[in-house]
Amino acid sequence: MRKVFYSLAGIAFAGTLMSCSGGMKVAKMEVSPSLGAAENVTVDVPVDKGYYVLFDGTSLKGWRGYAKSYMPDCWKIEDGCLKFSRSNGREGGDVIFAHKFRNFELEMEWKIAKGGNSGIFYLAQEFYTIGNDGKMNVEPIYISAPEYQVLDNENHPDAKLGKDNNRKAASLYDMIPAKPQNANPYGEWNKAKIVVKDGVVSHYQNDVKVLEYRLWTKEWTDLLQESKFSEKAWPQAFILLNDCGGVLHSGYIGLQDHGDDVWYRNIRVKVLD
């Protein structure tokens, strides 16, 4: 038998009172330093007009690899952007901002290389299983978290897969297509926004609302059953995604390593609790 574990540490926001440093407001936010660890390490997060700036182009405080205690070296700060490239280093993998959010408005900008694929995860957990041999096996982030698709629609084959264009940019990956499909082409910046409030989720692309759905409802279960994460096709993913966010309905924000060059910048979140 394999047992599944994940951390319940952290709820929507664990910041302390703000202070000012050089004219910039700063909040103290607690983050989890490693797989399964509680949110017990405090980092300073800039605050701008009610948004907590998770990445300001200069610091990776609060960020680490998924199921790691450090940032893999294929992710680098370059010209004020968080860039993933296989040429940057030896180790890749998805990355997370290691504080769990529940109700929030997340904004960032992204651009992708020609033929590139990536994604933005939210309400993510760090799951691992213990096998009969006693060894720990880390489960991938995408079997616990909805994905906002990041894609070169014109040149990546995934754009033609799935159903009704539900694998194109800003779509809820493999479940709901982004309509209208208004992504800029590869090499150009796109603005992403994800709003999660009491189970109602909206995706925006370039300031246009492109989809909405409700978590923890029959509608959500039906979407999963019609996707690659169905109970029949992928039982473990179905269970975890159907209960997305766990008992606290909260989780990490993550960025995907899909092997292709991708850039992110101006990552910020407003807590709606």
Side-chain angles (χ1 to χ4, degrees):
M1 174 181 288
R2 289 169 31 144
K3 296 182 179 180
V4 180
F5 301 86
Y6 64 98
S7 172
L8 296 180
I11 50 174
F13 177 64
T16 61
L17 294 176
M18 300 175 197
S19 61
C20 291
S21 175
M24 172 67 76
K25 290 184 177 180
V26 174
K28 301 288 187 182
M29 185 176 289
E30 292 183 347
V31 297
S32 167
S34 60
L35 174 65
E39 291 177 0
N40 57 10
V41 172
T42 301
V43 296
D44 289 339
V45 178
V47 182
D48 181 33
K49 299 177 182 177
Y51 286 86
Y52 298 94
V53 181
L54 306 187
F55 176 70
D56 65 357
T58 65
S59 172
L60 289 172
K61 290 180 181 178
W63 289 88
R64 60 177 174 83
Y66 175 79
K68 297 180 172 71
S69 59
Y70 56 90
M71 281 290 285
D73 61 3
C74 284
W75 293 88
K76 301 283 190 186
I77 297 176
E78 179 183 287
D79 298 327
C81 305
L82 178 54
K83 180 185 178 182
F84 173 85
S85 178
R86 290 293 183 194
S87 64
N88 280 343
R90 293 185 175 183
E91 184 178 3
D94 303 327
V95 296
I96 59 171
F97 186 83
H99 179 89
K100 289 185 176 181
F101 296 93
R102 182 171 58 215
N103 291 323
F104 58 88
E105 180 178 304
L106 171 67
E107 293 185 352
M108 70 183 76
E109 294 172 277
W110 61 269
K111 68 177 178 178
I112 196 81
K114 184 176 182 179
N117 187 340
S118 184
I120 303 165
F121 299 107
Y122 49 97
L123 299 176
Q125 312 298 316
E126 289 185 302
F127 285 97
Y128 60 96
T129 60
I130 303 297
N132 294 331
D133 57 2
K135 292 183 178 179
M136 183 179 73
N137 302 295
V138 176
E139 302 296 334
I141 191 172
Y142 51 78
I143 70 168
S144 74
E147 179 182 350
Y148 180 113
Q149 176 77 308
V150 169
L151 197 77
D152 173 8
N153 289 334
E154 299 305 315
N155 297 289
H156 195 284
D158 220 25
K160 297 180 174 62
L161 301 177
K163 182 181 179 181
D164 298 330
N165 298 320
N166 66 4
R167 295 190 182 184
K168 288 190 174 183
S171 296
L172 174 63
Y173 175 74
D174 206 56
M175 286 185 267
I176 304 177
K179 295 181 180 179
Q181 181 47 248
N182 63 339
N184 294 322
Y186 73 89
E188 296 185 16
W189 287 103
N190 290 274
K191 183 178 179 181
K193 182 167 77 170
I194 300 165
V195 181
V196 179
K197 178 62 175 173
D198 298 330
V200 179
V201 182
S202 302
H203 287 189
Y204 293 76
Q205 183 163 252
N206 296 323
D207 297 315
V208 177
K209 184 176 180 178
V210 294
L211 66 84
E212 181 178 291
Y213 67 97
R214 291 178 179 270
L215 290 166
W216 316 306
T217 61
K218 184 178 182 300
E219 171 197 2
W220 175 238
T221 301
D222 290 345
L223 284 169
L224 289 170
Q225 292 287 35
E226 295 172 5
S227 75
K228 66 186 286 184
F229 308 109
S230 71
E231 190 172 17
K232 181 178 179 180
W234 202 339
Q236 186 177 41
F238 174 79
I239 291 170
L240 297 179
L241 283 165
N242 200 41
D243 190 30
C244 175
V247 296
L248 298 178
H249 287 176
S250 65
Y252 300 119
I253 291 162
L255 304 175
Q256 185 181 45
D257 162 13
H258 206 281
D260 304 313
D261 285 10
V262 63
W263 294 256
Y264 294 97
R265 69 183 184 187
N266 298 327
I267 305 174
R268 62 182 194 163
V269 65
K270 178 185 289 184
V271 174
L272 302 179
D273 287 318

